[in-house]
Amino acid sequence: MTPKTLIFIPTYNENANVGPMCEQILALGIDADLLFMDDASPDGTGQLLDALAAQHPRVRVVHRAGKSGIGSAHLAGLALAYDEDYDRLVTLDCDFTHSPTLIPAFLARSESADVVLGSRYLEKDSLPGWSLVRRSLTSVGHILTKNMLGISQDATGAFRVYNLRAIPRALFDLVQAKGYAFFFASLLVLQRNGHVIAEIPISLPARTYGSSKMSVREIQRSVTTLLSLFVADQTNPARFRIAGSAIGLDPKLDPKLIDPQNWNEYWDQKSAKSTEAYDAIATVYRNLVIKRRLEATLKREFQSGARLLHAGCGSGQVDVNLHEHAKITAVDISASALGLYQRHNPQADAVRHASIFDLPFPDQTFDGAYNLGVVEHFHPDELARAFSEVRRVLRPGGKLVVFWPHAHATSVMALNAAHWVLNDVLHKDVRLHPPEFSLIHSRKEASELLASGGFEVTSYDFGPRDFFVQSVVVATRR
């Protein structure tokens, strides 16, 4: 069965181009519908398109009230394609910088890819006749998207084919850019969600018809969006992911599970104005400092392919780069935390809704376990129970890695000061996180607490590498 295909072309002041473009596409004999979307062009493009639609039954026109941005036009085209159950969407410009004769090659390539891009960087001399200024702007854009967003493909071009059956519609809800930044923003989201991206070499001659609509203001907006995406990608990569749908990533919530510390409230309040500054600082620190230290510790302590339990996984931002090294099963008592974890870690081995005091796994299931920001929220007697339960599911000789905040950590002093300002001075009645009962003071104290659960401490580190915040404790199952 031939895939249902839509060819989409946004227009603004293209009265010299729409007729020849329509004729050339129809002459290809492709089994596809052709949709033009015009932003109330003052040069009469809309009226010409209406005449073409009246003449050709597979040609359609959507008129928008005014010039609303190239990105918003592409998002509207995608929405229409999903609404009308198209399998594939072809997008290209109307000024003939994109040759419609390449559409069949793009469609053929889309049979084995989720999105196909026209690339100006696969072959030499792909920009014949371009001015030095325009060539330089294009090259700088490619360098920036490659180095700041990690996108090696041509991220700023509009000549594409989307395989809509392979790309969830919800993915494009994550794209907020309405201007030219749409192209690299959408490709970032596609890449971060693991979609197969293919490229076809194209040559873009100097514009013969019309003129560039990329204004200085639009360039400024694109640069601002690029910087914003870079910061968000570094501090909150889940912003660009939709929830995973792999087997094991749909935890059945246990309605009988009681959370006495109400962690759901903590995770649900992440968007509250009163905690925005704290959350932003904590996220940057977590991703730039703690995450790197955790990765180094786990890769040192566990061999590649080890089965690890993240006992008290929280949002899981720190786990994002660990799945290539280990098979991680994430557990948390908070359903809200698990939802965040799934968005950050669609490649996790499994995600389970459970208590650290009653883990739903057979004895000796895992090679190791770890947690961060967990143990300090329990009393000593509760820690003995939790450590004993973790010990049960570890194989003989298995290791437990605990990132344990120190009683005199710089973060503890900062949080105490923040709570004083928010509650005693401003009378806001705010708790930035649940109470901490068991901040650690020394290796001796850590050894005694872990020994109560059947572990022997083999290493203890507290120092400047994380600005004197976490004691990193490694213990072996006895």
Side-chain angles (χ1 to χ4, degrees), residues 86-116:
Y86 282 96
D87 301 307
R88 301 182 299 190
L89 177 68
V90 182
T91 67
L92 70 160
D93 291 339
C94 196
D95 58 10
F96 285 95
T97 52
H98 301 148
S99 174
T101 60
L102 291 175
I103 292 176
F106 273 66
L107 291 173
R109 187 67 181 87
S110 71
E111 294 178 3
S112 58
D114 299 337
V115 60
V116 181

Side-chain angles (χ1 to χ4, degrees), residues 174 238-244 338-346:
L174 303 177
R239 150 81 176 80
F240 306 108
R241 296 191 180 95
I242 57 176
L338 293 176
L340 292 170
Y341 189 94
Q342 289 176 301
R343 289 194 64 181
H344 283 92
N345 301 273

